[in-house]
Amino acid sequence: MTLRKMPWLKRARQTLCLLMLLLTTLLTTSLSFAASDTTPSFEPPDVILQGVAFDLSITDLSDAVGTRLRLDDETIDLTQDEEGQWLAEGVTIAQDVSRVELLGGDNQVLASTELSTIPAWLSLLPALIAITLALVFRQVILALFVGILMGGWILHGMDAKALLGAFGDSINVHVLEAASDTSHMSIVLFCLLIGGMVGIISRNGGTQGIAQRISRVIRGRRHAQTSTALLGMAIFFDDYANALIVGNTMRTITDKLAVSRAKLAYIIDSTAAPVSTIALISTWIGFQVGLISEAMSDIQGWNESAYSVFVNALPYNAYPILALAFVFMVTWSGRDFGPMLKAERRMLSEGLQPTKRSSQEAIVEEAEIATKSGIPIRAFNAIVPMLVLAGVTLGGIYATGLDALGPGEHALRDIFGEGDSFSAMMWGSLASCVVAVIMTLVQRLMGMTETGHYWFEGVKSMLLPITILMMAWALANVNDALQTSEFLVAALGETLSPAWLPAVVFVLAAFTAFATGSSWGVMGIMMPLVVPLAWAVLDMQGMAGTAEGMPILYASVASVLAGAVWGDHCSPLADTTLLSALASGCNLVEHVRTQLPYALLVGVVALIFGTLSVGYGISWWIGLVVGAVILFGILMTIGKRAQPLQSQNTTATAKAAD
């Protein structure tokens, strides 16, 4: 039987469709009414620390007239932020669990909930564990990973199940969030590209050409040492390249002129990290600017760019500046003291002695990219790409800053302060790579395949720093979720004097870097903690953003960098210390033993006159000038010119005979 012969079935189907349409309409209408009749609710932070103030957001609150928050026996008025979100500011809970109620104008309870807290000191645990493990095992990546894992465990509830969740989130959430940030990836690509450029100009003879240009002026021991320092200043873009290029280039020359290997290693080490950390264009700047940007991200009322903060903090970076000045004092005067003086006398008397390698030195892989044999050595193959890198980067910052400020006359400082440094660094590093490749191919120094290979070799040399950077960003995200900065502010904000803040930061960073041997790891751990703490301490004193307070803030930022460089400079575990010893052919223990008195002297002077003095309102340039004068006076007082031991004995015998 066909459907046309069954009219009742057709009518039944039509009726069913009408019923379904009616039910759908009724359901949609009821859901709309339910959605419009929402009740207010709370959005507390993921973690609430006992005794630490936080902001409690309230959603779906249509009318806040007369509405307030009741926490136990305390009543808190509501405020509205710039985005229109209602919140209760400065909520503090001093016990494990507290009941929170939202009261209307007639004291009617609109919403209520219970908020649980954790002991405030737990927020410090990830950073403390990272620092402790770095001290014990000397493995910064392992320490950072365990710190991230511990932070995730606290966030997940601190039980056995939470540990499993934290392990999965350590990479899948925290590191992935750090890697997915566009500004972070800009810094990563900048580091990779500049590493590739260094790989090319090291292989095509450009860096070797710079070394040969400087070495032509050498006429004696003083010139040899000064030329080594100048070469270290010239190769400013990377501390690894600096140590390896300068050491391998100057070692033969200094050996002929009876300059000790220990002295060569000291000059190399003092013009590697100290130069890279204050250079406006280097493999360090992306790392440092990235950390500063991350640390500034949650500070309200501070709209300065991270690059501008880095530039403004440079004059307060006392240790690298005074360390470089002291190197030239030593090389110009020809005076030494302590173990270095003995090493110089021994070299003049006995000549070069065989050097024994320690087991630690034997397993270190030298990251040197050797110049290709049989090609002309031309300095401009390195000078031109580096000038392109500097010019395009600075030009990009200027152009983007000018575009952001709009038409009109603007100060150069304001233009660079508003510039997009991340984009500019990307443009500069890419342009330098392209120029280095073109110059290499046009002169037929290498083929495209070989050029690409050594570009990639340079890129690989940056993988370890980038890994540390990623882990440091992830740990900073964990610390932010745990409100570590807020706890430090609550614990130290009222007791720590702003005048002492830069000095305390310098000492902590220096000690940690010395013990771990990693300046980048220390920067990654401390910068996200120090910057918010310094801002909050100044804010409590009414000095945040003022002409009186900003030097202390910039000095605190610089103290993290300077302290990390001091520890890296002195530590026998530091990679640049080890590379300086290897490239100069000096025993590692001998290098550390002879260099440490110099670094300690400069560090103490920098701490007193370049860091602590800033906290008491003394201008940075006065502190640096006084510090340099004191260093020169000490060197001229206790330092002596090295002479052969044999001639000294002969002179003493002659005097005794007279």
Side-chain angles (χ1 to χ4, degrees), residues 254-524:
T254 54
D255 284 348
K256 292 179 179 178
L257 296 172
V259 177
S260 68
R261 295 281 180 89
K263 189 67 166 294
L264 176 62
Y266 160 69
I267 298 173
I268 293 170
D269 210 355
S270 297
T271 55
V275 171
S276 297
T277 194
I278 62 175
L280 293 176
I281 304 296
S282 73
T283 54
W284 285 53
I285 188 175
F287 182 87
Q288 295 174 137
V289 171
L291 292 177
I292 295 171
S293 176
E294 183 74 23
M296 294 173 56
S297 59
D298 294 327
I299 298 178
Q300 301 296 327
W302 191 16
N303 299 320
E304 188 176 1
S305 71
Y307 188 85
S308 177
V309 173
F310 171 79
V311 173
N312 286 326
L314 283 180
Y316 304 96
N317 215 335
Y319 176 75
I321 296 173
L322 291 179
L324 291 171
F326 193 66
V327 166
F328 284 98
M329 293 178 195
V330 170
T331 59
W332 176 83
S333 67
R335 294 174 180 267
D336 292 288
F337 59 87
M340 187 69 75
L341 179 60
K342 296 179 180 178
E344 287 286 273
R345 287 172 175 171
R346 189 166 53 249
M347 182 68 177
L348 288 170
S349 303
E350 304 173 5
L352 185 64
Q353 300 296 316
T355 302
K356 295 182 179 180
R357 295 289 184 186
S358 66
S359 58
Q360 183 184 17
E361 293 171 293
I363 63 174
V364 173
E365 179 182 0
E366 295 191 36
E368 178 185 8
I369 297 177
T371 300
K372 183 179 180 180
S373 59
I375 62 172
I377 306 300
R378 296 164 179 159
F380 67 81
N381 284 327
I383 293 174
V384 173
M386 287 191 290
L387 289 177
V388 169
L389 172 64
V392 173
T393 301
L394 295 176
I397 295 174
Y398 181 85
T400 54
L402 201 61
D403 182 65
L405 291 173
E409 294 184 2
H410 307 286
L412 187 62
R413 179 175 179 176
D414 295 334
I415 295 174
F416 275 86
E418 292 296 326
D420 186 355
S421 58
F422 295 117
S423 297
M425 288 190 297
M426 289 277 291
W427 300 334
S429 57
L430 178 60
S432 67
C433 282
V434 172
V435 169
V437 170
I438 292 175
M439 293 182 67
T440 302
L441 295 178
V442 168
Q443 299 174 73
R444 297 183 179 180
L445 302 175
M446 294 187 291
M448 189 63 211
T449 301
E450 188 178 5
T451 303
H453 169 76
Y454 282 98
W455 178 87
F456 190 68
E457 288 295 313
V459 167
K460 288 195 299 184
S461 68
M462 298 302 299
L463 293 181
L464 178 59
I466 287 173
T467 302
I468 295 175
L469 184 57
M470 284 292 182
M471 302 294 283
W473 279 331
L475 183 60
N477 290 341
V478 171
N479 288 336
D480 183 60
L482 291 174
Q483 304 176 59
T484 306
S485 299
E486 287 81 353
F487 169 64
L488 288 174
V489 169
L492 302 175
E494 297 181 356
T495 58
L496 184 60
S497 169
W500 281 86
L501 182 61
V504 171
V505 170
F506 177 85
V507 172
L508 290 176
F511 171 76
T512 307
F514 178 81
T516 61
S518 174
S519 56
W520 283 36
V522 172
M523 293 177 192

Side-chain angles (χ1 to χ4, degrees), residues 85-411:
Q85 176 69 50
W86 289 98
L87 49 87
E89 296 181 320
V91 179
T92 305
I93 300 177
Q95 51 193 5
D96 294 340
V97 180
S98 287
R99 186 168 186 80
V100 179
E101 296 177 335
L102 184 66
L103 304 180
D106 55 356
N107 286 333
Q108 179 185 2
V109 178
L110 304 178
S112 64
T113 188
E114 288 187 346
L115 298 179
S116 300
T117 65
I118 64 171
W121 61 268
L122 286 176
S123 66
L124 276 179
L125 205 55
L128 289 176
I129 286 179
I131 293 173
T132 302
L133 290 179
L135 293 174
V136 174
F137 295 105
R138 279 87 176 182
Q139 296 291 331
V140 175
I141 294 178
L142 173 65
L144 289 171
F145 175 77
V146 175
I148 295 169
L149 184 63
M150 178 58 64
W153 181 62
I154 296 173
L155 289 171
H156 279 270
M158 295 182 291
D159 54 24
K161 184 179 179 181
L163 185 61
L164 184 61
F167 182 81
D169 286 354
S170 59
I171 300 296
N172 192 42
V173 174
H174 303 302
V175 176
L176 185 60
E177 286 181 355
S180 60
D181 186 274
T182 54
S183 61
H184 290 175
M185 287 309 300
S186 297
I187 295 168
V188 168
L189 290 175
F190 168 76
C191 293
L192 292 175
L193 287 170
I194 198 174
M197 185 269 289
V198 171
I200 294 174
I201 65 176
S202 297
R203 182 63 174 171
N204 70 9
T207 52
Q208 185 73 15
I210 293 178
Q212 288 186 358
R213 285 281 185 94
I214 295 179
S215 64
R216 291 174 185 172
V217 302
I218 295 175
R219 294 294 182 272
R221 296 183 74 252
R222 178 185 295 181
H223 283 160
Q225 297 175 54
T226 305
S227 298
T228 303
L230 289 173
L231 180 57
M233 294 283 290
I235 306 177
F236 58 87
F237 47 84
D238 183 71
D239 56 331
Y240 290 171
N242 183 307
L244 292 169
I245 293 169
V246 177
N248 287 293
T249 301
M250 301 300 297
R251 185 173 61 237
T252 303
I253 299 172
T254 54
D255 284 348
K256 292 179 179 178
L257 296 172
V259 177
S260 68
R261 295 281 180 89
K263 189 67 166 294
L264 176 62
Y266 160 69
I267 298 173
I268 293 170
D269 210 355
S270 297
T271 55
V275 171
S276 297
T277 194
I278 62 175
L280 293 176
I281 304 296
S282 73
T283 54
W284 285 53
I285 188 175
F287 182 87
Q288 295 174 137
V289 171
L291 292 177
I292 295 171
S293 176
E294 183 74 23
M296 294 173 56
S297 59
D298 294 327
I299 298 178
Q300 301 296 327
W302 191 16
N303 299 320
E304 188 176 1
S305 71
Y307 188 85
S308 177
V309 173
F310 171 79
V311 173
N312 286 326
L314 283 180
Y316 304 96
N317 215 335
Y319 176 75
I321 296 173
L322 291 179
L324 291 171
F326 193 66
V327 166
F328 284 98
M329 293 178 195
V330 170
T331 59
W332 176 83
S333 67
R335 294 174 180 267
D336 292 288
F337 59 87
M340 187 69 75
L341 179 60
K342 296 179 180 178
E344 287 286 273
R345 287 172 175 171
R346 189 166 53 249
M347 182 68 177
L348 288 170
S349 303
E350 304 173 5
L352 185 64
Q353 300 296 316
T355 302
K356 295 182 179 180
R357 295 289 184 186
S358 66
S359 58
Q360 183 184 17
E361 293 171 293
I363 63 174
V364 173
E365 179 182 0
E366 295 191 36
E368 178 185 8
I369 297 177
T371 300
K372 183 179 180 180
S373 59
I375 62 172
I377 306 300
R378 296 164 179 159
F380 67 81
N381 284 327
I383 293 174
V384 173
M386 287 191 290
L387 289 177
V388 169
L389 172 64
V392 173
T393 301
L394 295 176
I397 295 174
Y398 181 85
T400 54
L402 201 61
D403 182 65
L405 291 173
E409 294 184 2
H410 307 286

Side-chain angles (χ1 to χ4, degrees), residues 504-562:
V504 171
V505 170
F506 177 85
V507 172
L508 290 176
F511 171 76
T512 307
F514 178 81
T516 61
S518 174
S519 56
W520 283 36
V522 172
M523 293 177 192
I525 292 172
M526 292 195 63
M527 189 67 77
L529 303 177
V530 167
V531 174
L533 174 63
W535 179 267
V537 169
L538 294 171
D539 192 40
M540 289 182 178
Q541 303 292 330
M543 299 168 61
T546 65
E548 182 185 6
M550 292 309 290
I552 296 178
L553 184 60
Y554 293 139
S556 299
V557 173
S559 293
V560 176
L561 308 179

